Amino acid sequence: MKSLAATVMASESGPHIPGPADFFPPPIVGSGDWALTKVSLLVLLSVLIAFGFFYAASRKSAVVPSRLQFAGEYVYGMVRNSIARDIIGSKDYMRFVPYLFTVFVFILINNFYGIIPFIQFPTMSHIGYTAALAAITWLIYNIVGIAKHGFVGYLKLQTVPGGVSGPILLMMVPLEFLSNIIVRPFTLAIRLFATMFAGHLLVALFSIGGAWLILHYSPAWQGVTAGLFSFLLGILVSFLDMLIMFLQAYVFTLLSAMYIAGAVADEH
């Protein structure tokens, strides 16, 4: 998204209204589909940040952990114990911990880009990234389900609810198929994308509008008053957005674990 100052200074006739087009910054290097943009650069940077943080946190592991080691172990322990083990079960959870941990950290870093000064862009507000993550989760839980139960057995597990028979069963089977096989990746991707997109758009709207009111509105005292109020709302929304950034990373990881648990379960 354009810088706040440039956006506000761009027009004295009225503030720039941020919209979807602002979420597509111009290329930094190259052009076309292979161009390096701010968004793709941030995604690459998030990988380096995650690797660097956890490498530094684990490089000098000790019985009495440093603050960095404690932070790294806390995040890993939360994903391993509170999500993977509690949802998938103690028998199968460990083989899925690397994926769930990677997804959680990756989404968390990319979400929190939205509140870092001079970056201010949650990359998960691009549906392409959330769709790719949802597709990976979809492939994992379907593949492990088919590997455990066989194709027919897995299809039966996902579409035939236990304890249901007769006409109700005939109605339930297509609904379960749509819900468990078709719809899940779409809801997984859209939930994360929509919340990050809407939250960032709202913060940008309050910030840009507040700056424009202070700089350009006449009479000035009304503009300053309304502008400061707009900034205050923007700050409050930013704090709420921080909570949502964490929750969305948690929810995506939790749902991925639930889908995997359903795929490896013995019964529907």
Side-chain angles (χ1 to χ4, degrees):
M1 188 169 281
K2 295 176 181 177
S3 70
L4 175 61
T7 305
V8 173
M9 295 298 182
S11 173
E12 295 186 2
S13 60
H16 168 73
I17 306 300
D22 294 304
F23 286 76
F24 294 91
I28 299 173
V29 177
S31 61
D33 294 337
W34 296 100
L36 181 66
T37 65
K38 176 181 178 179
V39 183
S40 52
L41 187 63
L42 289 175
V43 170
L44 294 174
L45 182 62
S46 69
V47 176
L48 295 177
I49 291 172
F51 175 80
F53 175 79
F54 286 103
Y55 176 77
S58 60
R59 190 166 62 93
K60 294 181 180 179
S61 300
V63 176
V64 180
S66 63
R67 292 180 180 178
L68 198 62
Q69 182 185 340
F70 175 80
E73 289 179 348
Y74 182 83
V75 176
Y76 175 76
M78 184 194 72
V79 175
R80 186 191 65 181
N81 300 333
S82 300
I83 297 179
R85 188 181 62 193
D86 290 355
I87 300 297
I88 300 174
S90 57
K91 180 183 177 183
D92 297 309
Y93 80 102
M94 271 309 295
R95 57 186 170 135
F96 301 107
V97 169
Y99 173 67
L100 297 173
F101 178 66
T102 302
V103 163
F104 176 76
V105 173
F106 181 73
I107 294 175
L108 191 67
I109 293 173
N110 280 279
N111 283 353
F112 272 90
Y113 278 149
I115 58 166
I116 297 176
F118 305 111
I119 294 180
Q120 295 173 314
F121 195 102
T123 46
M124 290 300 133
S125 61
H126 266 220
I127 196 169
Y129 294 108
T130 63
L133 291 174
I136 293 172
T137 292
W138 184 82
L139 284 173
I140 288 176
Y141 79 75
N142 281 308
I143 288 172
V144 298
I146 291 171
K148 179 170 182 177
H149 303 286
F151 183 78
V152 175
Y154 177 66
L155 202 59
K156 181 181 178 183
L157 176 75
Q158 292 287 15
T159 58
V160 181
V164 180
S165 60
I168 300 297
L169 181 61
L170 293 177
M171 291 190 294
M172 291 294 293
V173 168
L175 291 176
E176 290 289 303
F177 180 80
L178 281 174
S179 173
N180 297 338
I181 305 296
I182 304 297
V183 176
R184 276 180 178 178
F186 292 98
T187 57
L188 202 57
I190 292 173
R191 181 185 296 107
L192 176 58
F193 153 73
T195 49
M196 288 301 100
F197 180 87
H200 190 61
L201 196 63
L202 205 55
V203 171
L205 188 63
F206 282 124
S207 302
I208 293 172
W212 186 88
L213 286 168
I214 291 173
L215 292 174
H216 300 298
Y217 192 80
S218 180
W221 71 271
Q222 290 183 357
V224 171
T225 303
L228 291 176
F229 183 68
S230 181
F231 272 127
L232 177 62
L233 288 177
I235 292 170
L236 294 176
V237 171
S238 295
F239 280 112
L240 179 62
D241 207 25
M242 287 172 61
L243 176 63
I244 293 173
M245 288 170 181
F246 172 82
L247 286 177
Q248 284 303 317
Y250 183 84
V251 167
F252 192 100
T253 310
L254 185 71
L255 288 174
S256 296
M258 291 175 66
Y259 297 159
I260 292 170
V264 298
D266 293 326
E267 296 180 359
H268 185 82

